[in-house]
Amino acid sequence: MLRFWTLTAAAALLAACGEPAANEPAAPAEAPAQQAAPESSADEAGNGGEWPPVGETSAEITQDDLHFRIATLADDRFEGRAPAAEAGERAAQWIADELARVGVQPAGTQGWFQPVPLIEATLVEERSRLDITINDEPMGLTMGQSVVYWSQNPEEHVAIADTELVFVGYGVVAPEYGWNDYEGLDVEGKTVVILVNDPGYARPDAGRFNGASMTYYGRWTYKFEEAGRQGAAGAIIVHQTEPASYGWDTVAASWTGSQFTLDMPPSDLVPVQGWIHLNAARELFAATGHDFDSLAEAAAEPGFTPVALEGAVMSAELHTSLRRLTSNNVVGMVEGSQAPDEYVLLMAHWDHLGVRLNFASDNNIYNGAVDNATGTAAIMEMMEAFALGQQPRRSILFVAVTAEESGLLGSAWFAANPTVPLNSIVAGLNIDGELPVGRTEDVVVVGYGASEIEDILREEAEAQGGRYLTPDPSPEAGYFYRSDHVSLARVGVPMLYAGGGSVHVEHGREFVETAALAYRMNRYHQPADEYNPDWDLSGLEEDTRLLYAVARRIADSDEWPNWYEGNEFRSLRDAMMENR
């Protein structure tokens, strides 16, 4: 999943790849007529119609190479690169074959691959239920309208009965920010009701957390994890559009239909998870003698005391159909000359949405040319440059992960089962989608102010003709926590998520904003995200060269960039490095 930069209100429209957006229905195709089928494009970029094509690429990072790789990855014959699908896994094999051709070495657990075990879970809605009863009167919550619910436990039947409800504010335990919403509270066997985002968002000028910029504590994923650690039986997040950065329709669409989870013992997962519509939450609070808005205001202040919603209990019975599948991360390496056991990580996700029903047109292949054939092509280009150029001092580790669109699952598996020790990864760079708009004056950094890798990026950008760094224009939306790098960040590895810009070198800011909005409205997560041989990839070439320069500098040095002081991942990294 990716982010697109617009500094206007259009930014609020941008969904995040790391949301469970694989289940987001395609909007009507408002784009101009579809591009020609990309089969011929890949054939022309390859040699003589052979499929999959074998490239004649350069050791240099070039637009021609990027065109070839994007065209191939976005070809109809890979059928949208769905994880665990035959055509999707053929795309992973092609990536491995291309890396082998240019001299990269396999570094997976099974040759080029690190198998990722997945569970496809589908809630059987007609046999499942969740409701809140207030003084023996059911609220009558309706799936998709007033509530959505599921279980990430890999079990066909999960049930809880008459669990007491407790409002725990933001549901955050953050020692580095001096905040603990669960302090002195026992929620064992209860259901916690939680606000989305974090206290910094509610009081951006109060100096709490990271101000308006969301921290990991604001992510819905964290809140369910923390509720599980606290022993809760259920956790319900109150949906509010502004702090969530997306509307209820996105929540309802994302959490219905099949969901993928990792096939591994659940860790820190609350058995029953869900979201409740704001109107239903206000009704619940009022019926138990409380004003939701007043309590939400109070929850942003230090020392907030959780509130029991007396008389309210929640019950749920969930029946889920489970299917076990396997997809693959692609892992390769260029070995370092002097410090081969120290690694610079290059990451992108190769998967997209595959083939699915599309009522807007006859085209039902979700090719994902921008999202994320661009990022995958970019890290393939960088690996080729490392493999065919001067051997780096440190090793370069390539990881093209699967199942990003299903919830960052491939990167989560890699973080939990790393192919090299985590404390041997010096730094990581993630590329997740770049619009083909041409060259830009600036470089957008998502999660700006997170790690010392930015200092290196800033210097290299300046050296690349005076480019400068621009912070993510919507930090409150938490885009930093919605792509694969965050899986590594959560275990402490310093990561950089940057690329693209907001000001075109010739046409200015509005040109980029217009292109970003058009993509988001007409092509993002739709069949219209197809390769076009007329794309201007000069910007992607420049950004790939820039990130290569950052990776090269780290690889040829003995620097160990860390998270900045005060970042929520700094203590994890410091603890990790004590044992090195």
Side-chain angles (χ1 to χ4, degrees):
M1 154 92 219
L2 69 168
R3 70 291 170 275
F4 299 109
W5 315 124
T6 105
L7 304 186
T8 66
L13 298 174
L14 308 184
C17 245
E19 295 306 305
N23 300 290
E24 181 180 345
E30 299 172 11
Q34 296 284 317
Q35 306 290 350
E39 294 185 50
S40 59
S41 301
D43 288 344
E44 290 167 8
N47 23 331
E50 179 182 357
W51 182 259
V54 177
E56 296 179 357
T57 51
S58 165
E60 301 295 320
I61 294 169
T62 69
Q63 291 186 61
D64 286 344
D65 289 0
L66 290 165
H67 270 288
F68 162 65
R69 291 183 164 129
I70 295 169
T72 304
L73 287 164
D75 192 283
D76 277 354
R77 283 168 284 193
F78 282 147
E79 297 181 0
R81 305 190 307 281
E86 181 181 354
E89 298 304 321
R90 285 204 307 270
Q93 180 65 59
W94 179 80
I95 294 169
D97 291 344
E98 276 292 289
L99 293 177
R101 179 181 64 80
V102 301
V104 179
Q105 300 300 309
T109 56
Q110 295 184 12
W112 283 101
F113 302 118
Q114 180 189 36
V116 179
L118 301 173
I119 297 177
E120 183 184 41
T122 306
L123 185 71
V124 184
E125 292 189 26
E126 62 272 18
R127 298 180 58 204
S128 302
R129 62 178 182 83
L130 180 148
D131 206 358
I132 296 173
T133 300
I134 305 169
N135 299 322
D136 299 324
E137 289 292 328
M139 290 185 66
L141 300 176
T142 303
M143 177 66 163
Q145 297 181 21
S146 50
V147 69
V148 293
Y149 51 87
W150 65 94
S151 178
Q152 286 188 286
N153 289 355
E155 300 175 13
E156 293 183 344
H157 180 240
V158 173
I160 60 175
D162 296 331
T163 60
E164 299 175 18
L165 269 64
V166 183
F167 175 59
V168 294
Y170 287 92
V172 167
V173 178
E176 65 270 41
Y177 295 118
W179 200 279
N180 186 349
D181 284 320
Y182 289 98
E183 187 170 9
L185 180 66
D186 181 7
V187 296
E188 187 79 29
K190 299 179 181 179
T191 290
V192 291
V193 181
I194 312 171
L195 296 173
V196 73
N197 216 306
D198 62 43
Y201 173 86
R203 301 282 191 278
D205 300 322
R208 297 171 194 146
F209 288 71
N210 200 20
S213 299
M214 183 188 287
T215 65
Y216 183 65
Y217 298 110
R219 293 286 290 133
W220 58 267
T221 48
Y222 165 79
K223 295 173 189 295
F224 291 136
E225 292 164 3
E226 189 60 50
R229 284 190 285 268
Q230 297 292 330
I236 298 291
I237 296 176
V238 179
H239 175 263
Q240 295 171 283
T241 297
E242 292 298 325
S245 81
Y246 41 80
W248 177 259
D249 287 348
T250 297
V251 174
S254 297
W255 288 112
T256 54
S258 297
Q259 311 287 328
F260 279 99
T261 58
L262 289 173
D263 189 0
M264 59 189 297
S267 174
D268 299 332
L269 293 177
V270 63
V272 176
Q273 306 174 8
W275 291 74
I276 189 170
H277 193 283
L278 179 59
N279 292 341
R282 286 186 169 135
E283 178 186 346
L284 166 64
F285 278 62
T288 55
H290 303 286
D291 178 72
F292 169 79
D293 295 295
S294 297
L295 283 182
E297 287 282 324
E301 298 297 331
F304 170 75
T305 301
V307 175
L309 302 181
E310 299 286 352
V313 296
M314 189 179 85
S315 299
E317 184 170 1
L318 311 182
H319 291 271
T320 305
S321 172
L322 304 178
R323 188 164 68 111
R324 283 173 164 79
L325 305 165
T326 300
S327 188
N328 288 285
N329 292 334
V330 184
V331 187
M333 182 180 66
V334 172
E335 188 173 53
S337 60
Q338 299 178 45
D341 60 345
E342 298 175 5
Y343 302 88
V344 177
L345 171 65
L346 305 180
M347 177 173 282
H349 74 90
W350 64 257
D351 67 296
H352 201 239
L353 305 182
V355 178
R356 56 180 59 202
L357 188 63
N358 172 39
F359 294 105
S361 76
D362 293 333
N363 186 359
N364 62 355
I365 299 178
Y366 290 67
N367 300 91
V370 170
D371 182 16
N372 184 34
T374 57
T376 305
I379 64 170
M380 291 174 72
E381 276 289 276
M382 293 166 68
M383 287 303 287
E384 183 175 27
F386 276 114
L388 299 179
Q390 181 180 354
Q391 186 178 12
R393 177 180 177 275
R394 288 165 161 160
S395 296
I396 310 298
L397 187 65
F398 172 101
V399 184
V401 295
T402 185
E404 189 271 358
E405 301 289 2
S406 304
L408 315 183
L409 300 184
S411 57
W413 182 260
F414 179 83
N417 304 275
T419 57
V420 300
L422 291 173
N423 64 3
S424 70
I425 300 177
V426 180
L429 283 66
N430 178 53
I431 307 179
D432 190 358
E434 184 165 327
L435 285 174
V437 295
R439 296 175 56 235
T440 57
E441 295 179 1
D442 59 335
V443 184
V444 171
V445 179
V446 189
Y448 183 84
S451 84
E452 295 166 355
I453 308 173
E454 290 175 32
D455 299 335
I456 301 171
L457 177 68
R458 182 177 293 105
E459 293 175 8
E460 295 298 330
E462 173 63 29
Q464 197 185 46
R467 299 183 76 191
Y468 53 91
L469 306 189
T470 296
D472 170 6
S474 302
E476 71 283 356
Y479 291 125
F480 182 79
Y481 305 97
R482 302 189 189 187
S483 190
D484 287 302
H485 61 281
V486 79
S487 296
L488 277 297
R490 287 179 55 194
V491 294
V493 178
M495 298 292 294
L496 177 71
Y497 182 25
S502 61
V503 183
H504 193 275
V505 292
E506 296 179 9
H507 307 302
R509 185 182 307 276
E510 186 177 353
F511 178 85
V512 179
E513 291 180 353
T514 300
L517 183 58
Y519 177 87
R520 175 66 184 94
M521 298 302 294
N522 300 326
R523 293 184 294 283
Y524 168 67
H525 278 197
Q526 297 181 36
D529 187 2
E530 292 193 318
Y531 168 73
N532 184 342
D534 294 330
W535 275 352
D536 179 359
L537 296 184
S538 60
L540 180 58
E541 177 190 299
E542 189 169 52
D543 290 341
T544 305
R545 289 176 179 270
L546 172 61
L547 293 174
Y548 172 81
V550 172
R552 168 62 75 172
R553 175 167 155 182
I554 297 172
D556 287 343
S557 75
D558 58 3
E559 295 179 74
W560 284 83
N562 202 344
W563 301 100
Y564 288 133
E565 287 286 354
N567 183 275
E568 65 261 44
F569 304 122
R570 175 70 182 241
S571 62
L572 294 171
R573 182 60 165 183
D574 291 346
M576 174 194 303
M577 299 309 291
E578 288 178 1
N579 300 320
R580 180 170 172 77

